[in-house]
Structures are given as structure tokens and as C-alpha cells.
Amino acid sequence: MVFGARVWKTGIAVALALYISAWLNFTPPVIAAVAAIFAMQPSIYRSWRYFLEQLQTNILGAALALLAGMFFSNNVIAIGIVCIIVIIISLRMGMEETIGLTLVTVVAVMEASGEWQFAINRLLLSLIGIGCAFVVNVLFFPPKPKEQFAAQIRTIFAKMSLLLRTVISNEMKETVFREEKEGLRSGLKSLSDKYRLMEEEIKKIKGSGLNRIRELVVYKQKLLVMYKGLEVLEAVDEHYFQTSRTQAIDVYFDDHLEKLIKFHEHVLLKFDDKLKDDCSEGMEMGAENERFMTVLIDRYNKQPEGMLRLSIVAAAMYDYGHQIARLDKLVEHDHRGETEEREPLDLLLKSIRLK
């Protein structure tokens, strides 16, 4: 876990849960602390959903544990059987994320050997911890997936652009290249997680207008383009250097890749309102990308020997450029507050897929 707001909030939630438990004379307060740790979530929506799901499964688990405790006391075999039943029910309800904390409640309640006063005490301790985590998550540095996504994509693009600009010329040391590419892959996975948090909040929370949905489409395409850049790196690493090439081919590939990276950078800056909207750049790069692929196809038709692997790399670069051009159009429409007539928003949301 990165040292940030969530770390501080977890500590605050634990301290608050312990304080409230001691103030109400509920024992042992460690149950509330454990519940607060489990319940800290990366977004407001997930915090609210987790709170509701934990409320349901904890009450259910406490009721089953209380009933079993009345007949079997705190028999270890009975505790294990009740835990199995609670896990099965939670899975059936689609609330697998709540299983860990619910089992803590079950074990704590059955420890009371069926005495309902102690059972209620244990249940309330869990609910205090969950409630403290939710309140702290909302009031102290509330999660902002959109801002985090925007900041992270700039950082990851800087790393990716460096790799793409040096991959054809093979200037970077092999060990450094491997480390940087692995860091890029890890960063994109984290970026995907941030996008899903943002998507959840926009889609699930009522009141999300058309502008926010349109913006979500742009963010999804931005993420897809980043993955296409990674695919270019993978294709070059896997195929480009395993075939015979001339210096002219190296220069041709390197120049086109440089143009694509520059275009990608301009589109990101345009979305941030740092550049003027320029429709001609997108059309020019689209045509340039078509010419690049056409030249490679012609070369392959004239002399297929040694060109097959280069064609795989060229196809990855072409797809990268195509998706950048698509992103450019979405950014322009987003700035004008319009949507593409041929591709309504609901179709775009379904068509852009993440890895």
C-alpha cells in the first residue's frame, strides 16, 4: 500500500472505534478495531456498499451464531460448522467481500455460549468499527478517483513515452528496459483499478449527468490507448529485433513511432485544455498512419521474406495510432458537449474493453 490518505484514515478509524467502544464500555474493543481495518474502502460508493452488506451479513451471522451457541455452547466443531454455513450464505448473496469480518463476529458471538447480551455486545462492536471506517472515509480526505486517475495517467504516459522513444533505437540497457516495462505494466493495472472505482461512482450513484458519462467514455479510451502503447512495446520486443532490417527501415519505424507519441501527448494536453483544439492534426495523423501501414503491406507483397514479423510490429503501431485518433475525436466532442451520432455513449461504453 502506498503511504497516503488511506493509511492515515485507517489509523484514525481504528483509534475512533477503540475510543467509542471504551466510552460505551463494550469489550473487547479489539473487535471494533479489526472491523474498522477491514471496512476501510478506496471510494465513497464502496464504503457505503460495504457498510450495507456488512450490516446484513453480520446480523445474519450473529443470529446463526447465537442460535448455535444456545445448543452447542462454544464447541469448536460447532463453531467451524457455523462458519462454513455463513460462508456459503454470503457467497450465495454475492457478498464475498464481507466474509472475513462476518466470521470474526460469528466466532466472537459463539464465544459467549448463547448468551444474547454478550452476542449483541459483540455485534455492536463490529458495527461500531464499520461505522467509524465509513464516517472517517467520507469526512477525512474523501477518495477522489477522478483526480487520482488524471494524475496517474500523466505519470504513466511519461514512462511509456520514454520506452517507446528508445525501443526501436535500442538505446536503453536491457535490464533497465525490463524493469521499466514491468513498472509500466504494474502502473497500468493500478490505473485500471482507479478507473473501475471512478466508473462505479458515476454509474451507481444517482444524479450522474450526461457530461459525467461522456467524460467517463473519454477516460476509458485514454486507458485503452495506454494499453495499446504497451502492446507496441511487447511487439517490438518480441518480433522487431528477430528479423533482418536495414537502417532505413529502423529510421522509418522510429520516425513514425515518434509522430504517434507526439500526437498522443497533444491529445492528452488538449483534454486538459492546455492546447487549442485542432481538428486537422487528427486527420493528418490518421492519413499518415494509413500511409505507414500501406507502405508495409506493399513491401510485404513485393518481398514477403523477413517482413512478416515487421508487419506484426507495424500492425501494433497502426492500432495504437488508430486508437489515439479515436481518443482525439472523443476529446473534441467532450469539449463541445456533443456525442458522436454514429457511436452513442452506451455503445462506446460496451465497445471499449479493458484487459
Side-chain angles (χ1 to χ4, degrees):
M1 180 185 291
V2 179
F3 186 77
R6 194 175 175 188
V7 177
W8 290 101
K9 290 190 292 185
T10 301
I12 295 172
V14 168
L16 183 61
L18 292 172
Y19 175 79
I20 294 177
S21 300
W23 180 57
L24 296 175
N25 293 321
F26 287 167
T27 57
V30 67
I31 295 178
V34 171
I37 294 171
F38 273 99
M40 186 57 63
Q41 296 294 308
S43 72
I44 301 297
Y45 168 74
R46 285 195 180 180
S47 293
W48 176 245
R49 187 188 67 182
Y50 190 84
F51 176 79
L52 294 179
E53 291 180 353
Q54 283 288 2
L55 187 63
Q56 298 175 60
T57 56
N58 270 267
I59 292 176
L60 176 63
L64 291 174
L66 180 60
L67 184 63
M70 290 178 179
F71 290 97
F72 304 105
S73 186
N74 55 1
N75 181 276
V76 293
I77 297 178
I79 293 175
I81 293 174
V82 173
C83 286
I84 292 173
I85 294 173
V86 169
I87 292 173
I88 293 173
I89 294 175
S90 298
L91 291 174
R92 290 287 186 180
M93 296 172 65
M95 300 180 182
E96 56 273 7
E97 293 182 3
T98 67
I99 290 175
L101 187 52
T102 302
L103 293 182
V104 173
T105 302
V106 169
V107 174
V109 170
M110 290 199 70
E111 183 188 15
S113 303
E115 297 183 25
W116 66 271
Q117 298 95 333
F118 288 97
I120 293 177
N121 176 277
R122 302 301 194 266
L123 175 61
L124 290 177
L125 280 169
S126 295
L127 296 181
I128 286 172
I130 298 169
C132 288
F134 175 71
V135 171
V136 169
N137 204 25
V138 172
L139 297 181
F140 294 89
F141 309 107
K144 298 179 179 179
K146 177 182 172 181
E147 287 76 5
Q148 294 170 348
F149 182 92
Q152 196 170 350
I153 203 167
R154 286 192 290 269
T155 302
I156 295 176
F157 174 74
K159 182 187 293 288
M160 189 183 77
S161 64
L162 175 63
L163 290 172
L164 288 173
R165 283 188 164 105
T166 57
V167 66
I168 297 294
S169 58
N170 200 22
E171 297 171 291
M172 193 174 288
K173 291 182 178 178
E174 187 68 20
T175 55
V176 177
F177 177 80
R178 298 294 176 194
E179 290 175 1
E180 290 294 318
K181 191 172 72 170
E182 190 59 36
L184 174 62
R185 187 180 290 109
S186 176
L188 286 176
K189 183 180 181 301
S190 176
L191 195 64
S192 299
D193 294 337
K194 288 288 190 304
Y195 172 80
R196 292 188 183 96
L197 291 175
M198 183 171 56
E199 184 181 41
E200 279 182 349
E201 290 199 342
I202 293 178
K203 285 187 175 182
K204 301 295 183 180
I205 297 177
K206 293 182 179 180
S208 297
L210 183 61
N211 289 336
R212 296 194 69 187
I213 298 296
R214 184 185 300 115
E215 197 172 57
L216 181 64
V217 175
V218 177
Y219 280 128
K220 198 166 190 176
Q221 182 67 14
K222 287 170 75 172
L223 181 56
L224 178 62
V225 171
M226 298 296 290
Y227 271 108
K228 292 300 179 181
L230 177 62
E231 288 180 9
V232 172
L233 287 172
E234 299 282 8
V236 172
D237 189 35
E238 184 71 23
H239 298 286
Y240 190 79
F241 299 107
Q242 283 72 28
T243 185
S244 57
R245 314 169 317 278
T246 64
Q247 185 176 1
I249 290 179
D250 285 345
V251 172
Y252 187 62
F253 272 78
D254 199 26
D255 286 348
H256 187 65
L257 193 52
E258 176 65 31
K259 292 175 183 177
L260 293 178
I261 299 165
K262 186 177 180 181
F263 182 37
H264 190 177
E265 184 178 22
H266 283 184
V267 174
L268 294 178
L269 291 173
K270 188 190 297 183
F271 179 76
D272 294 334
D273 284 326
K274 294 181 179 179
L275 287 182
K276 298 177 182 178
D277 291 339
D278 185 6
C279 299
S280 61
E281 183 183 19
M283 291 186 290
E284 290 172 3
M285 278 306 305
E288 181 69 24
N289 205 34
E290 293 286 344
R291 282 195 296 271
F292 171 78
M293 198 64 205
T294 301
V295 169
L296 265 294
I297 292 174
D298 290 341
R299 284 176 180 246
Y300 176 78
N301 291 332
K302 292 177 181 178
Q303 188 180 2
E305 184 179 355
M307 288 298 298
L308 185 58
R309 285 192 161 187
L310 289 180
S311 299
I312 295 174
V313 178
M317 291 172 60
Y318 173 82
D319 195 23
Y320 175 50
H322 172 72
Q323 295 300 336
I324 298 173
R326 184 185 176 97
L327 175 61
D328 184 52
K329 291 180 181 179
L330 289 173
V331 169
E332 290 175 2
H333 286 301
D334 178 68
H335 284 185
R336 292 199 302 265
E338 300 173 358
T339 58
E340 291 185 86
E341 294 180 0
R342 295 182 180 179
E343 296 180 298
L345 286 173
D346 57 339
L347 294 179
L348 284 174
L349 284 168
K350 293 178 181 178
S351 64
I352 303 172
R353 304 186 185 276
L354 298 180
K355 294 189 172 181

